[in-house]
Amino acid sequence: MTGNDTTDRLPAKLEAALAFDDRGLVPAVAQQHDSGEVLMMAWMNRAAIAETLATGRVCYWSRSRERLWRKGERSGQVQQLVELCVDCDGDTLLLKVDQTGVACHTGRRSCFFRSWHDGRLDETQTVEVDPAKLYGEDG
Amino acid sequence: MTGNDTTDRLPAKLEAALAFDDRGLVPAVAQQHDSGEVLMMAWMNRAAIAETLATGRVCYWSRSRERLWRKGERSGQVQQLVELCVDCDGDTLLLKVDQTGVACHTGRRSCFFRSWHDGRLDETQTVEVDPAKLYGEDG
């Protein structure tokens, strides 16, 4: 699969196991396969899942941009798929991945870098990469 | 907080950090705090979050039953909250929990017990507790 070729077709056994929502999406949790760190949550449609399985590189569906979002396409912070897991109801995916660099657009390793303690949100991770370097100075 | 007392009020700093969807919900990923295992994904509204913070026991919002779902209320398989994390966009929560027994209604430790390999879904976890014992023979 190259360029903009996409397909909405999933293998029949996978299609049968999945319960997409009324927008044709399922939430997908990305976890670093060896450390167990939860990196992010994003959404996938059939085309994103099909591309991810075909290429081994994780592709989501961007709800805000309404297009396929090949994770790391601008920042280089790609995710290689190690394992795709389906939950009991088929309405959530767990992607065990190997994350290059940082998962979060803020330059932190994980998007879950804020923790609620004693009435305030504390930041629990530092910025590892300057976002300006990830995305260029044009934002 | 006891019985059916509920509040939709969140601490102001938490409310300001969260972006609920148009149903007033955010997805919440539950992770075993020490092993790193991802256990399940469910949904929370303001009342579920408020109760979870007040009691230390995780409470979700059941979309199918349209009511608060105190995890383990029937099965006894409760989740104690260890840490509540908020993602960069404020639209997903990561709950680090201490899971009693099994998280999945099928009697498996995690809901993500199916893994896609070589064109089929393999079960990667065994049933640890008979669901009939979790929920009684009336289902």
Side-chain angles (χ1 to χ4, degrees), chain B residues 23-70:
Chain B
R23 301 162 299 179
L25 302 177
V26 286
V29 179
Q31 180 183 35
Q32 176 65 27
H33 72 102
D34 45 8
S35 70
E37 186 175 19
V38 176
L39 300 169
M40 58 182 285
M41 199 284 278
W43 297 82
M44 301 180 93
N45 60 5
R46 287 175 176 84
I49 296 170
E51 175 165 320
T52 298
L53 291 175
T55 65
R57 188 177 140 190
V58 177
C59 174
Y60 299 102
W61 175 257
S62 170
R63 295 178 302 167
S64 58
R65 288 173 285 171
E66 297 187 331
R67 67 169 179 83
L68 290 175
W69 164 31
R70 296 171 178 97

Side-chain angles (χ1 to χ4, degrees), chain A residues 61-121:
Chain A
W61 175 256
S62 169
R63 294 178 302 168
S64 58
R65 288 173 283 171
E66 297 187 328
R67 67 170 179 83
L68 290 175
W69 164 31
R70 296 170 178 98
K71 175 69 178 167
E73 61 193 4
R74 288 180 61 208
S75 67
Q77 313 291 284
V78 301
Q79 294 176 341
Q80 290 294 325
L81 182 69
V82 175
E83 186 177 1
L84 184 147
C85 303
V86 179
D87 82 342
C88 51
D89 298 322
D91 62 3
T92 308
L93 300 177
L94 174 63
L95 309 177
K96 297 185 181 180
V97 304
D98 193 14
Q99 171 72 55
T100 296
V102 297
C104 185
H105 75 287
T106 65
R108 294 173 179 87
R109 175 71 176 167
S110 161
C111 294
F112 297 98
F113 62 85
R114 296 184 291 175
S115 176
W116 182 254
H117 287 290
D118 300 326
R120 65 169 195 266
L121 278 173

